[in-house]
Amino acid sequence: MKFKPANNIQDLQYFGEFGGVNPSISDSSTYTFLSAKTMFDTFEGNADGCYLYSRHTTPSNLYLGEALAAMEGTETATVTASGMGAITPVLFQLCGAGEHIVSSRTIYGGTYAFLKNFAPRMGINTTFVDITKLDVVEAAITPKTKVLYCESVSNPLLEVADIKGLAALAKKHNLKLVVDNTFSPLSVSPINSGADIVIHSLTKFINGSSDTVGGVVCGTQEFIDSLKSVIDGAAMLLGSTMDSLRAASILKNLRTLHIRMQQHSLNATYLAENFEKDGIKTVYPGLASHPSHNLFKSMMNEKYGFGGMMTLDVGSLDKANALMELMQERNLGYLAVSLGFYKTLFSAPGSSTSSEIPEDEQKEMGLSDGLIRFSIGLDADIERTYQLMKTCMIELNIL
Ligand SMILES: *Cc1c(COP(=O)(O)O)cnc(C)c1O
C-alpha cells in the first residue's frame, strides 16, 4: 500500500491524564524517581518510559516527535528549539574534525552560513555542488566525506533533489543522506526514496501560525538515541531543546497540516499557471516548464500537490521592492521572511534570506536581483487575489 503520511498522524491516539482529548502538557524541568536504582538506569539509557530532565526529553516533546516520525515514516524523532537547532546537532553528530560534507549549494541561508563559515572552525569542511547533477555530486565525495546534505525542494530556487539517486550514492560511499524537507511536508516523503535522516523547520508549514520557531530530526531509534545521549549526544549537549508548551501547541497545529497543504498547493498552482501565461518568469515545481517537474511528480504524495512556494522574476530589485510594498499596502500579503503562514509572505531572497551567499555565487546559481520568493497563503478566493496582484503589476509597468 502506498505510504499515506497524514493517515499516520490521524491514527495516533493520546489522552490527557483526566481523559482530556489532548494530552496533558508536562510543566516540569525535572522528574522524581521512586528509587535511586531507576535514576542510575535512566542515566545509563536503560530505563524506557522514565523521564530525567527536560533538556533530554519531556512527555509533550515525545508526543510531538512521535507524530512527526509517523508523518515521515521513521522509527522515531526528536524535536528541537528551532530548525537550525535540529540541523547543527545532526551535522556535529555525524561529522568530526577532519571530516567532510557534500552539500547542495542552494540551501537555506542559515544552513549555508553554518557550513561555510562556522563548521570549518570545528575542522569540518563542505563542498557545495549543483545537487541536480549526480555526477558532480559523486565527484565531490572524498574518503573523508560522511554526509550528503540537501533540501527536497530547495530554498529559494525550488530545485528538486533526486533523493533516490542521492540515496544510491550515499549507500555506495557509505554516507548518511540528510534531507531538509521543510518546503514540502506531506507532499514529499524522503524516507520512501532512501534518505537516512529527515529534518524540518517546524517554524514554517508544519506549525503554520508564524508564532514560534521549532525543529525536528526524524531517523532511526539508534541515531536519535545517539543525538540525545547524555554522554556524547549533540542535541543533549548543545541544548537546543524545545519547550513543552510549544511542543503541545505545534502538535495541535500539525493536525490540520494536510488540509492546509492542499490549499497552499491549490492557490500556488493557480497563481503560477496564470502568471506564467501572462509572461512573467515563474518558477513552481507544479509547472510543466519546471526542469524537475517530472522528478517531483515521481516522488510526491499526489493529494498534497506541489506545495506553496513559488518565485516570480520581475526584472530588477527596484521593481521587486516596489511590487512587494504595493502588495502589502493592498493587503495581499506581508513583506516578511519565513513561510507557511495563512497570509502570503514575500521577500527578495538575494537581499534577505540568501544574503549570506556572496553576490557572484548568487549570480552563478541563478538567484537574480528581480526574484521574489512567495509563500502562498490560504486565501479563500485566489481568483480575486490574482486579479489584485495583476493590477499592482500593471500599475508598476511589470506587466
Ligand atoms: C527556516 C528554515 C530553516 C531554519 O529553521 P529555523 O526554525 O528558522 O531555525 C532550515 N531550513 C529551511 C529550508 C528553512 O526554510
Side-chain angles (χ1 to χ4, degrees):
M1 202 173 74
K2 198 160 180 330
F3 182 62
K4 297 200 169 162
N7 288 0
N8 298 8
I9 301 171
Q10 186 84 58
D11 288 346
L12 293 169
Q13 193 181 53
Y14 314 101
F15 295 107
E17 58 191 313
F18 303 108
V21 295
N22 291 305
S24 309
I25 301 173
S26 41
D27 193 26
S28 298
S29 58
T30 190
Y31 300 82
T32 59
F33 289 88
L34 289 177
S35 78
K37 168 86 169 67
T38 323
M39 182 184 270
F40 174 77
D41 288 345
T42 305
F43 262 98
E44 298 283 296
N46 300 327
D48 264 0
C50 287
Y51 296 94
L52 183 65
Y53 183 62
S54 287
R55 176 154 41 78
H56 185 244
T57 195
T58 76
S60 298
N61 289 10
L62 286 186
Y63 289 137
L64 176 60
E66 194 187 338
L68 291 162
M71 178 178 90
E72 286 298 359
T74 57
E75 286 173 18
T76 189
T78 188
V79 295
T80 54
S82 68
M84 288 309 294
I87 293 164
T88 54
V90 164
L91 296 175
F92 280 142
Q93 197 69 28
L94 295 173
C95 295
E99 293 176 336
H100 177 248
I101 296 171
V102 174
S103 169
S104 165
R105 62 186 184 180
T106 55
I107 50 174
Y108 177 68
T111 312
Y112 181 86
F114 171 73
L115 289 172
K116 175 123 183 166
N117 306 326
F118 194 95
R121 288 166 50 187
M122 307 294 140
I124 301 167
N125 288 301
T126 300
T127 304
F128 295 96
V129 294
D130 179 345
I131 204 74
T132 62
K133 300 200 170 95
L134 290 178
D135 54 332
V136 174
V137 175
E138 185 163 28
I141 296 170
T142 75
K144 298 283 185 198
T145 309
K146 293 283 168 190
V147 172
L148 264 185
Y149 187 91
C150 69
E151 296 175 1
S152 18
V153 179
S154 81
N155 180 33
L157 294 171
L158 311 181
E159 288 176 348
V160 180
D162 175 359
I163 300 175
K164 267 204 184 91
L166 293 167
L169 283 184
K171 201 158 186 199
K172 179 173 165 196
H173 295 275
N174 198 23
L175 318 175
K176 293 284 183 223
L177 175 60
V178 180
V179 179
D180 178 339
N181 198 28
T182 300
F183 273 36
S184 47
L186 296 178
S187 294
V188 177
S189 302
I191 292 290
N192 278 353
S193 305
D196 295 297
I197 295 160
V198 182
I199 295 178
H200 282 278
S201 165
L202 303 179
T203 314
K204 315 295 171 51
F205 289 104
I206 290 181
N207 184 57
S209 308
S210 293
D211 56 358
T212 186
V213 288
V216 68
V217 184
C218 304
T220 61
Q221 189 73 48
E222 188 190 1
F223 180 67
I224 300 299
D225 283 350
S226 78
L227 265 183
K228 295 201 295 192
S229 161
V230 295
I231 313 294
D232 62 0
M236 178 67 181
L237 300 175
L238 296 173
S240 57
T241 309
M242 177 175 279
D243 181 74
S244 288
L245 286 166
R246 275 308 181 189
S249 80
I250 295 170
L251 178 62
K252 283 177 271 191
N253 287 351
L254 178 63
R255 295 167 180 160
T256 57
L257 179 66
H258 59 299
I259 301 169
R260 290 185 278 114
M261 285 316 296
Q262 290 177 51
Q263 189 71 23
H264 284 301
S265 291
L266 206 72
N267 286 354
T269 301
Y270 184 88
L271 294 179
E273 284 176 352
N274 281 286
F275 285 122
E276 185 174 62
K277 265 188 221 135
D278 291 337
I280 303 260
K281 218 167 122 195
T282 308
V283 176
Y284 182 64
L287 293 175
S289 60
H290 191 287
S292 313
H293 176 65
N294 288 325
L295 174 61
F296 194 116
K297 240 175 140 171
S298 73
M299 290 196 292
M300 77 194 288
N301 299 306
E302 250 166 62
K303 191 170 177 183
Y304 305 106
F306 292 90
M309 301 303 293
M310 168 185 95
T311 69
L312 297 179
D313 190 338
V314 297
S316 71
L317 182 60
D318 285 345
K319 280 189 171 165
N321 288 341
L323 178 62
M324 292 190 293
E325 285 170 11
L326 189 59
M327 285 190 297
Q328 174 158 270
E329 201 177 294
R330 301 202 175 153
N331 200 13
L332 294 169
Y334 298 141
L335 172 51
V337 298
S338 200
L339 40 131
F341 199 36
Y342 82 105
K343 281 266 193 184
T344 293
L345 302 178
F346 34 79
S347 54
S351 52
S352 63
T353 48
S354 295
S355 56
E356 295 93 336
I357 303 172
E359 233 170 89
D360 50 327
E361 286 176 44
Q362 290 192 18
K363 286 245 151 54
E364 201 196 311
M365 61 177 70
L367 222 169
S368 51
D369 284 344
L371 197 78
I372 305 178
R373 182 187 82 172
F374 289 84
S375 163
I376 304 300
L378 299 173
D379 305 28
D381 185 353
I382 197 66
E383 288 89 348
R384 182 187 67 171
T385 303
Y386 166 66
Q387 290 302 338
L388 293 170
M389 282 173 74
K390 198 169 165 175
T391 307
C392 295
M393 291 184 190
I394 290 167
E395 281 176 37
L396 295 170
N397 291 320
I398 292 167
L399 269 181

